[in-house]
Amino acid sequence: MEHIFQRARRGEESADDQRRVEAHMLIESNVTAPASRDVGRVGPAPRVVRIHPADDVAVAVRPLSAGETVDVDGDRLTLHADVPAGHKVALRPIEAGEPVTKYGFTIGIATESIARGAWVHSHNLRTHLEGMVAYRYDPAPREPVGAEARPTVLGYRRENGRVGTRNEVWVLNTVGCVNFAAEGIARTSTERFRDVIDGVYAFGHPFGCSQLGDDLQNTQRILAGLMRHPNTGGVLVLGLGCENNQMDSLLRIAGGDIDRSRLRFFNTQDVVDERDEGLEAVAQLVARMEHDRRAECPASDLILGHKCGGSDGFSGITANPLVGRIADRLTAAGGGVVLTEVPEMFGAEQILMNRAKDEHVFEAIVAMIDDFKQYFLGHGQPIYENPSPGNRQGGITTLEEKSLGAIQKGGRATVTRVLRYGEQATTGGLSLLESPGNDGVSSTAMTASGATILLFTTGRGTPLGFPVPTIKISSNSDIAAKKPHWIDFNAGALLDGAATPEQLAEELFALILDVASGRKQTNNERHGYREIAIWKAGVTL
């Protein structure tokens, strides 16, 4: 029988096929037992998890040993080999050349015969993706949107109507030559104005001097996006004077979205002491901001950016479906969510295409996907050279396996628009943003497009933080316990049997509202993890 994912790649999947990938709908029955909040433990911690009834593999929740017997949906399975946590074990005999199914979709082709109970990974499984693909729009049925509660946050309403979650001064530089000066101005200003505003932060980068073409435009798009970001109550732009990246270009790209009374700029070559000049400029901005106050705003004014990094075999079972629930909840209430990492849509892109609100959005998704594939080919690189070594160590074998887990961060929300790199997001649905999967580049891109909080899922952990509050969500409890100064929320409680998906979604949404309202800080804020990365020519995974 022809496999579902092969049909999906040609745009022939049925509505039933589309729903099969929504694995987070199945996790309640496969991972936890229903229970009330007043029960300390909602169910036994499973040793293996089968995500979808059609799957050929299950995922080991903890390390399993050869000879050990486990229960999979009432079926006893004896392990033929050791299986690390997060990795896959075969539930049936699989012949060489056969497709292997996870999430209800093909994640690769067996390269050798695989026995029932065997470890399934890079030694016996390869990608089945290759080349370019022809797509067809087959709209998925729209599920009725229930009446959502209309929560509020305490945010900063800006002149252009957007709502920020922080009131900070950002020091940006047109060129890498002035990074050190910008950092010194920000550091001293933070001490001076600690009790007046939420902070002063510099975001250095090495670009802007002799760049031309797309590289220069990408630098300008990101800086313009940061200049108009609603989390900034004031922006100081520091130039050198002789660089190609000039302030008039940034203002032209930013358009009319910037309140000029909250903007200061000077070239360091034109002043005697750039430090003193910068401190005076920040003082002027703080004076403009000191009467800014948080006001009650609907949570639908929020724009969240959803990202995964350092993923493992649990990311697509716990953290990513959890973040997908947040996407569904916020977009149903009228808010906005941004999803990016285009190379990590490859192999699952048809599912997103069929959730496009109309054929125009579908065509925009196709164009973005095809352009990104041509970007790889134009640099002589294979399209499907992914996952990373860390992903493989965590249990992810192929790109399609990684992508099927990654797109769950978008939940079941309708895709309402496609944004090219640097374009501004709006509320009211799920936006797909053009950007590579690199953690720094993609998170910066979502921030520059207007995300005021990032939800960053991880199985292996990372200290990275960005200009906006970045809520780190662990896929497993081990990394949450090991790195409490990195992790803000533990989705691994699902596999521990300590919470249901609904409970975790409620708790995470409450945390988002608290962070947005300034009642809580994220670890990246508390520990000073704030940086940006800009997309340059040359392939970035």
Side-chain angles (χ1 to χ4, degrees):
M1 184 175 65
E2 187 178 29
H3 193 271
I4 291 170
F5 194 77
Q6 294 168 328
R7 296 201 302 273
R9 291 179 65 211
R10 295 198 301 272
E12 299 170 4
E13 67 171 356
S14 69
D16 287 340
D17 295 341
Q18 154 67 21
R19 285 191 289 272
R20 291 179 68 184
V21 81
E22 309 297 351
H24 63 280
M25 299 284 290
L26 300 165
I27 289 175
E28 294 171 67
S29 59
N30 288 332
V31 179
T32 63
S36 62
R37 279 185 176 275
D38 57 354
V39 177
R41 192 171 190 83
V42 301
R47 291 189 289 170
V48 293
V49 173
R50 185 181 197 173
I51 299 171
H52 190 277
D55 287 355
D56 300 322
V57 295
V59 178
V61 175
R62 63 168 180 80
L64 302 175
S65 301
E68 187 173 352
T69 300
V70 296
D71 181 273
V72 184
D73 299 335
D75 186 19
R76 303 298 291 173
L77 179 70
T78 300
L79 278 296
H80 280 205
D82 294 345
V83 179
H87 287 242
K88 298 173 288 296
V89 57
L91 299 177
R92 67 170 181 87
I94 304 170
E95 295 300 320
E98 276 196 86
V100 177
T101 304
K102 181 183 177 185
Y103 300 109
F105 280 82
T106 294
I107 60 166
I109 302 296
T111 58
E112 60 184 49
S113 295
I114 303 173
R116 170 179 158 88
W119 176 32
V120 179
H121 198 37
S122 305
H123 59 286
N124 54 16
L125 180 66
R126 65 166 176 83
T127 181
H128 78 303
L129 301 175
E130 56 183 28
M132 304 296 287
V133 178
Y135 303 105
R136 188 183 72 189
Y137 186 38
D138 184 14
R142 303 278 170 83
E143 296 185 18
V145 177
E148 288 287 330
R150 299 291 175 177
T152 60
V153 297
L154 296 176
Y156 292 98
R157 178 76 68 182
R158 303 303 182 188
E159 291 294 323
N160 60 11
R162 297 193 177 193
V163 171
T165 62
R166 296 292 182 267
N167 197 36
E168 300 169 342
V169 171
W170 289 358
V171 183
L172 309 175
N173 48 290
T174 61
V175 64
C177 307
V178 295
N179 279 349
F180 186 77
E183 290 166 5
I185 292 167
R187 189 165 49 250
T188 301
S189 297
T190 292
E191 293 300 320
R192 288 186 180 180
F193 303 112
R194 184 180 301 278
D195 298 325
V196 183
I197 60 174
D198 291 334
V200 183
Y201 302 98
F203 301 106
H205 62 87
F207 306 116
C209 179
S210 55
Q211 292 177 303
L212 297 171
D214 290 344
D215 277 0
L216 178 59
Q217 290 178 10
N218 282 352
T219 298
Q220 292 171 337
R221 287 170 183 151
I222 292 301
L223 294 179
L226 297 177
M227 285 168 58
R228 61 190 168 195
H229 198 281
N231 281 20
T232 64
V235 177
L236 168 61
V237 180
L238 214 59
L240 182 62
C242 55
E243 63 272 20
N244 281 349
N245 187 25
Q246 293 290 319
M247 184 64 172
D248 56 350
S249 297
L250 299 182
L251 290 172
R252 184 175 62 253
I253 293 171
D257 240 3
I258 293 180
D259 181 349
R260 296 296 184 94
S261 71
R262 294 174 179 265
L263 177 66
R264 297 292 184 275
F265 167 74
F266 66 88
N267 282 321
T268 58
Q269 290 173 340
D270 297 338
V271 302
V272 174
D273 190 315
E274 61 272 14
R275 176 184 168 85
D276 288 346
E277 193 79 14
L279 293 174
E280 172 57 29
V282 172
Q284 294 173 15
L285 292 170
V286 172
R288 176 68 177 82
M289 297 164 56
E290 63 181 346
H291 298 298
D292 294 347
R293 295 291 183 271
R294 290 185 182 272
E296 190 171 50
C297 306
S300 58
D301 285 327
L302 293 176
I303 297 178
L304 303 180
H306 290 187
K307 172 78 179 83
C308 54
S311 299
D312 67 357
F314 302 128
S315 295
I317 300 174
T318 59
N320 290 351
L322 172 61
V323 168
R325 285 174 173 267
I326 300 299
D328 292 341
R329 182 167 181 171
L330 187 64
T331 57
V337 171
V338 181
L339 194 67
T340 186
E341 305 173 280
V342 176
E344 293 169 25
M345 299 174 188
F346 296 168
E349 65 266 46
Q350 185 71 59
I351 298 163
L352 293 172
M353 291 172 181
N354 289 350
R355 280 171 32 203
K357 73 171 184 178
D358 54 37
E359 196 155 358
H360 173 74
V361 174
F362 161 76
E363 290 171 353
I365 301 172
V366 172
M368 180 182 69
I369 294 289
D370 285 349
D371 286 352
F372 225 106
K373 290 181 178 179
Q374 290 293 346
Y375 164 64
F376 279 84
L377 294 173
H379 287 84
Q381 299 296 320
I383 296 174
Y384 305 113
E385 191 64 32
N386 211 336
S388 69
N391 294 151
R392 289 192 172 94
Q393 188 175 348
I396 299 172
T397 308
T398 64
L399 177 54
E400 49 267 58
E401 179 183 8
K402 184 175 182 178
S403 295
L404 287 166
I407 67 166
Q408 292 188 61
K409 300 191 302 296
R412 292 169 289 156
T414 298
V415 180
T416 55
R417 63 189 62 82
V418 172
L419 305 171
R420 290 299 184 154
Y421 189 66
E423 282 191 276
Q424 291 296 287
T426 60
T427 56
L430 177 65
S431 299
L432 303 185
L433 170 64
E434 178 188 37
S435 179
N438 175 275
D439 292 348
V441 174
S442 56
S443 296
T444 300
M446 291 190 293
T447 301
S449 287
T452 54
I453 293 177
L454 301 184
L455 305 186
F456 191 117
T457 68
T458 183
R460 300 178 62 80
T462 174
L464 275 175
F466 303 96
V468 299
T470 305
I471 300 176
K472 296 284 180 58
I473 302 162
S474 64
S475 68
N476 62 84
S477 296
D478 288 345
I479 193 65
K482 181 180 179 181
K483 294 290 187 181
H485 56 295
W486 290 358
I487 303 301
D488 299 284
F489 191 90
N490 178 26
L494 180 66
L495 291 179
D496 297 340
T500 66
E502 292 89 350
Q503 289 172 350
L504 289 177
E506 284 293 327
E507 292 167 9
L508 179 56
F509 196 70
L511 175 61
I512 292 167
L513 298 182
D514 281 343
V515 170
S517 300
R519 293 186 289 267
K520 291 185 178 178
Q521 283 193 322
T522 57
N523 274 323
N524 83 290
E525 294 180 285
R526 282 192 292 270
H527 301 296
Y529 295 140
R530 292 172 179 254
E531 54 194 287
I532 64 171
I534 301 174
W535 189 12
K536 297 293 101 185
V539 171
T540 303
L541 289 174

